[in-house]
Amino acid sequence: MDSSHSSSNATPLCFSINSPPFEYNHTVASAYFSVVFSGLGLSSNLFALVVLAKTFHHTKSRARSNFLLFLGALVFIDFMGLLVTGSIVVSFHITRFNWRELDPHCHFCNFMGMSMIFYGLCPLLLGATMAIERFIGINRPFARSSSMTKNRACSTVVMVWITAGCISLLPLTGLGSYHLQMPGSWCFLNISSKPLDMTFSLIFSLVGLLSIAVSFLLNTVSVITLLKVCCGQDSQQRRRDYEVEMMVQLILIMVIASICWCPLLVFIAKTVLSGSRLEVRYLLLWLRFATGNQVLDPWVYILFRRSVLKRIYPRMDWSRGSIISLYPSFSTSIRKLTRGSLGGTLGQLENPDGAKPDDPLSEQNTSVSSESLKN
């Protein structure tokens, strides 16, 4: 009888560190901030989804349609992440419910913790996937044109979701745990130096940081390659507007993800490896940085489209090589800088049979290469 009574009063795992109720602190948690932040993010992502759907419907280029598919998946994940986690946080601030009474068996807390990990890793993994797709499309156009179909692009997105989902399920198997976090409005992984918790924390941090590193490396190579092609001697004969547009959007997505997520990922890894005490104020600060990624992502596509840029800068010739043609001295410098790098691949694409530039066969091969890069 005593054992059953003590087991019923045992503290659930998710409340073993922070057990409600908590003293409410307006400087740490604000209902207005949560409502405004969630509302702005949801409306931005919803607007971006509508614009993306219209653009995707009118796109004929396979390369651009696949890129829009990945971008649509990214915006959709950001929207769902804000909808799921934001609704829980806002509900807490409005109703001030007691987590322990509402969720005595930690099911709800585990669900939110899984959501935080899943919707956190998905944008980073998708960003790396988009960087790989653009890298292959720009540097290996012939291989990509025959392999990356629309069905394969959809399968790739699903695989990214499955990967993030499997990682978020690890605490349910005993590797790590989800705990209620201060100020009592959310659940997240337990950031501690205990072996299992430390292992899961490092998995989450290293997967995120590795995704950002892959995006940075491949995007850098793709930009150098694209600049070399745009600044080449036949750049005026090639239409590079869509490639430039996609790369600008992808780079901005990478920069935003790096600024928003790196502080939190590094903070988690540093805390568990050093065994130091968790600083709640820094955790909340870097978490808000990370959540800002979901609000800023859709504006990359909303603002940095050719149709919008045409209105902002109508004098620019957006039909061909426009960005580089504005700065001829910059074009010359880039051509000299990139002449020696990545020359083998592009040389084969631009002149596969070793024909002279004046040879009609060379012009035909150039047009084929240009068309392949567009796809």
Side-chain angles (χ1 to χ4, degrees), residues 65-120:
S65 63
N66 288 338
F67 181 82
L68 292 176
L69 184 63
F70 287 123
L71 193 57
L74 175 66
V75 174
F76 175 74
I77 281 294
D78 287 338
F79 176 83
M80 291 302 300
L82 282 171
L83 182 64
V84 173
T85 60
S87 59
I88 297 175
V89 173
V90 171
S91 299
F92 171 82
H93 286 303
I94 293 176
T95 63
R96 302 291 299 157
F97 61 80
N98 188 309
W99 275 87
R100 193 161 180 174
E101 295 177 357
L102 180 69
D103 184 30
H105 302 293
C106 293
H107 299 316
F108 191 43
C109 185
N110 286 335
F111 169 75
M112 185 175 187
M114 290 169 53
S115 300
M116 294 287 289
I117 299 299
F118 175 78
Y119 292 116

Side-chain angles (χ1 to χ4, degrees), residues 46 49 83 115 143 155 170 249 274 276 280 295 334 356 360 375:
L46 187 61
L49 281 173
L83 182 64
S115 300
S155 301
L170 288 178
Q249 293 170 354
S274 64
S276 57
V280 177
V295 178
I334 291 296
K356 296 180 179 179
N375 292 327

Side-chain angles (χ1 to χ4, degrees), residues 178-193:
Y178 293 121
H179 284 253
L180 184 66
Q181 305 290 334
M182 296 290 291
S185 58
W186 61 297
C187 289
F188 195 52
L189 58 87
N190 185 30
I191 306 174
S192 75
S193 56

Side-chain angles (χ1 to χ4, degrees), residues 10-264:
T11 302
L13 179 61
C14 62
F15 305 125
S16 59
I17 298 178
N18 299 312
S19 183
F22 302 105
E23 182 179 353
Y24 190 72
N25 188 348
H26 289 277
T27 61
V28 175
S30 171
Y32 298 105
F33 175 83
S34 301
V35 171
V36 172
F37 196 84
S38 299
L40 177 62
L42 288 172
S43 58
S44 301
N45 282 282
L46 187 61
F47 179 63
L49 281 173
V50 174
V51 175
L52 276 167
K54 292 182 178 180
T55 308
F56 182 82
H57 180 71
H58 295 95
T59 298
K60 297 180 180 180
S61 169
R62 180 190 295 181
R64 191 160 186 252
S65 63
N66 288 338
F67 181 82
L68 292 176
L69 184 63
F70 287 123
L71 193 57
L74 175 66
V75 174
F76 175 74
I77 281 294
D78 287 338
F79 176 83
M80 291 302 300
L82 282 171
L83 182 64
V84 173
T85 60
S87 59
I88 297 175
V89 173
V90 171
S91 299
F92 171 82
H93 286 303
I94 293 176
T95 63
R96 302 291 299 157
F97 61 80
N98 188 309
W99 275 87
R100 193 161 180 174
E101 295 177 357
L102 180 69
D103 184 30
H105 302 293
C106 293
H107 299 316
F108 191 43
C109 185
N110 286 335
F111 169 75
M112 185 175 187
M114 290 169 53
S115 300
M116 294 287 289
I117 299 299
F118 175 78
Y119 292 116
L121 285 180
C122 271
L124 302 178
L125 292 173
L126 279 172
T129 304
M130 294 165 68
I132 295 172
E133 191 273 340
R134 278 291 79 211
F135 173 82
I136 298 175
I138 292 176
N139 294 274
R140 297 289 185 270
F142 294 112
R144 181 207 171 279
S145 61
S146 60
S147 61
M148 185 55 74
T149 61
K150 190 176 294 185
N151 290 334
R152 183 162 295 184
C154 293
S155 301
T156 304
V157 171
V158 173
M159 287 301 298
V160 168
W161 291 349
I162 292 175
T163 302
C166 290
I167 294 176
S168 68
L169 288 172
L170 288 178
L172 301 187
T173 65
L175 183 60
S177 56
Y178 293 121
H179 284 253
L180 184 66
Q181 305 290 334
M182 296 290 291
S185 58
W186 61 297
C187 289
F188 195 52
L189 58 87
N190 185 30
I191 306 174
S192 75
S193 56
K194 296 179 180 179
L196 293 178
D197 289 330
M198 180 174 67
T199 302
F200 181 64
S201 298
L202 289 177
I203 289 175
F204 174 69
S205 299
L206 293 179
V207 169
L209 291 173
L210 182 62
S211 300
I212 295 174
V214 169
S215 300
F216 179 81
L217 177 63
L218 296 185
N219 286 337
T220 301
V221 176
S222 298
V223 167
I224 293 175
T225 306
L226 190 59
L227 286 174
K228 183 174 181 180
V229 174
C230 289
C231 298
Q233 295 179 356
D234 58 345
S235 60
Q236 295 301 318
Q237 300 174 5
R238 303 180 180 184
R239 295 179 61 86
R240 294 283 175 253
D241 44 3
Y242 285 124
E243 281 90 349
V244 172
E245 179 189 39
M246 289 188 289
M247 282 309 305
V248 168
Q249 293 170 354
L250 187 55
I251 289 172
L252 287 174
I253 290 173
M254 177 194 70
V255 170
I256 291 172
S258 301
I259 295 174
C260 293
W261 274 101
C262 280
L264 178 63

Side-chain angles (χ1 to χ4, degrees), residues 279-298:
E279 295 287 344
V280 177
R281 57 174 181 169
Y282 288 117
L283 175 62
L284 292 174
L285 175 63
W286 302 138
L287 179 75
R288 287 182 175 179
F289 265 74
T291 359
N293 182 64
Q294 298 173 316
V295 178
L296 296 175
D297 269 346

